């Protein structure tokens, strides 16, 4: 579990805090999506969950983040990263090796994974992320999307309890984005991994996440099940979040007909709602 207690953070040299008094609990096995407009503090918050802040970033840090009971500020980043694996928004800064296979090996060896387990973990991760064919390629020869998959595969190989991903599909086409989310769902369901993902593709996110937190100006301003959060279309628009069209549709339908229409979180539900009204 991750427990965030009255967390505030101000980058060194900044005049205003970027995170303002955030408290949240992320239980084991959660699949949490974080959305919010640009500059809301999503990356900064994700960095606090993974311990990068306060360990590798200068600034004023108040409150506490506890990961499995460990206070991130009082424990070494190497110990925290055994529990929390992170894929950064800026994937380039994360990759240290020049060949795909080496990138995965680097993490596995660093974590002291026994030799006889390494090959199995490596193949599993490459296959699950769909890049087995890239195993011996140089990183320099890969596209942005392929590099993103390498970073995700490196994480999957390490099997941390908690996965934090900051816009993991930013460089990916719709098919690959869906593939990444399906993988996250499987890891969450089959291995009980906790998934926290910052994502702009809100339709896709809502299809896979159970819980949604909306950030605005350094705060979590909405937090609930996907259906609860999408139920308040007006609030989301005001915050500057692009609402999924299915939710806009059900909200408009309810308004126009005066009927009690449940919030629709995907196109199928929107179609059903429309059919029920006609039929
Ligand atoms: N290293 C830094 N030093 C100073 N200010 C920073 C730094 N990183 C981010 N900020 C500021 O903190 C605020 C929040 O940034 P952050 O990157 O966390 O937002 P975000 O929600 O992830 O945005 P985006 O959707 O664009 O990724 C912004 O105003 C940004 O300028
Ligand atoms: Mg960001």
């Amino acid at each position: 579990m991750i427990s965030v207690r009255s967390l505030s953070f101000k980058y060194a040299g900044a005049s205003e805090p970027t995170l303002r008094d955030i408290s949240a609990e992320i239980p084991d096995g959660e699949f949490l999506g974080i959305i919010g407009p640009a500059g809301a503090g999503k990356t900064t918050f994700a960095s606090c969950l993974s311990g990068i802040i306060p360990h590798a970033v200068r600034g004023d840090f108040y409150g506490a983040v506890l990961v499995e009971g460990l206070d991130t500020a009082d424990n070494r980043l190497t110990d925290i990263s055994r529990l929390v694996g992170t894929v950064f928004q800026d994937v380039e800064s994360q990759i240290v090796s020049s060949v795909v296979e080496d990138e995965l090996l680097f993490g596995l060896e660093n974590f002291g994974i026994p030799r006889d387990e390494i090959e199995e973990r490596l193949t599993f991760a490459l296959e699950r992320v769909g890049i087995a064919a890239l195993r011996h390629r140089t990183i320099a020869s890969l596209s942005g999307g392929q590099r993103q998959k390498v970073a995700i595969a490196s994480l999957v190989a390490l099997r941390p309890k908690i996965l934090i991903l900051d816009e993991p599909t930013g460089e990916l086409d719709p098919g690959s984005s869906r593939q990444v989310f399906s993988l996250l769902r499987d890891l969450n369901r089959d291995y009980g991994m906790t998934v926290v993902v910052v994502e702009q593709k809100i339709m896709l996110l809502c299809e896979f996440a159970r819980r949604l937190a909306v950030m605005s100006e350094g705060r979590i301003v909405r937090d609930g099940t996907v259906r609860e959060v999408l139920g308040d279309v007006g609030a989301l628009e005001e915050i500057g979040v692009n609402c999924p069209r299915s939710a806009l549709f059900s909200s408009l339908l309810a308004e126009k007909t005066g009927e009690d229409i449940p919030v629709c979180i995907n196109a199928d539900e929107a179609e059903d709602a429309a059919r029920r009204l006609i039929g």
Side-chain angles (χ1 to χ4, degrees):
M1 169 161 117
I2 301 182
S3 187
V4 181
R5 298 181 184 165
S6 304
L7 169 69
S8 296
F9 184 73
K10 185 165 86 68
Y11 284 100
S15 54
E16 294 284 319
T18 286
L19 299 181
R20 300 163 188 263
D21 196 26
I22 295 181
S23 292
E25 303 266 302
I26 307 171
D28 288 342
E30 185 67 280
F31 195 137
L32 169 68
I34 299 178
I35 58 173
K42 304 180 297 294
T43 293
T44 308
F45 183 57
S47 305
C48 288
L49 299 183
S50 60
I52 313 275
I53 294 177
H55 286 285
V57 179
R58 289 200 312 122
D60 300 327
F61 180 93
Y62 302 102
V65 175
L66 284 88
V67 177
E68 306 287 318
L70 293 186
D71 190 322
T72 56
D74 299 340
N75 286 274
R76 294 183 313 162
L77 195 49
T78 47
D79 294 327
I80 301 160
S81 61
R82 284 177 182 273
L83 300 169
V84 190
T86 312
V87 173
F88 299 123
Q89 186 167 7
D90 173 18
V91 171
E92 302 294 325
S93 68
Q94 181 160 17
I95 296 179
V96 295
S97 311
S98 52
V99 174
V100 171
E101 178 181 60
D102 295 346
E103 180 64 21
L104 274 74
L105 280 172
F106 175 79
L108 288 164
E109 282 166 2
N110 244 355
F111 269 40
I113 304 302
R115 289 242 146 256
D116 56 349
E117 246 185 71
I118 285 188
E119 178 54 35
E120 183 254 319
R121 285 205 190 201
L122 208 136
T123 341
F124 173 84
L126 291 171
E127 273 169 11
R128 281 318 308 259
V129 182
I131 54 169
L134 303 181
R135 180 166 178 161
H136 302 292
R137 288 272 295 274
T138 61
I139 301 287
S141 71
L142 302 182
S143 69
Q146 289 170 326
R147 288 177 203 195
Q148 212 151 27
K149 289 184 180 177
V150 171
I152 294 169
S154 306
L155 190 67
V156 169
L158 298 175
R159 300 182 188 161
K161 268 196 88 167
I162 302 164
L163 306 177
I164 314 259
L165 306 101
D166 191 358
E167 305 204 11
T169 70
E171 299 270 336
L172 300 179
D173 57 65
S176 296
S177 299
R178 176 165 288 277
Q179 196 186 3
V180 165
F181 269 91
S182 306
L183 168 67
L184 295 176
R185 180 191 52 208
D186 293 352
L187 295 172
N188 175 258
R189 189 186 52 206
D190 301 340
Y191 299 95
M193 286 181 181
T194 305
V195 177
V196 179
V197 55
V198 176
E199 181 58 64
Q200 305 264 5
K201 293 170 187 150
I202 182 165
M203 283 291 274
L204 187 64
L205 181 65
C206 289
E207 203 180 308
F208 289 90
R210 255 188 303 271
R211 173 176 166 194
L212 215 51
V214 188
M215 291 192 68
S216 172
E217 296 176 356
R219 292 189 170 86
I220 293 181
V221 292
R222 283 284 187 285
D223 186 355
T225 64
V226 169
R227 212 171 284 279
E228 281 164 1
V229 171
L230 293 190
D232 198 346
V233 166
L236 292 178
E237 302 244 287
E238 210 166 289
I239 294 162
V241 168
N242 279 327
C243 235
R245 265 181 277 176
S246 57
L248 288 172
F249 175 77
S250 53
S251 148
L252 200 64
L253 211 56
E255 193 185 303
K256 295 278 182 215
T257 61
E259 300 279 332
D260 186 14
I261 308 230
V263 55
C264 299
I265 61 174
N266 57 44
D268 286 348
E269 288 188 10
E271 190 182 331
D272 284 350
R275 281 188 198 287
R276 268 199 304 277
L277 269 186
I278 300 164

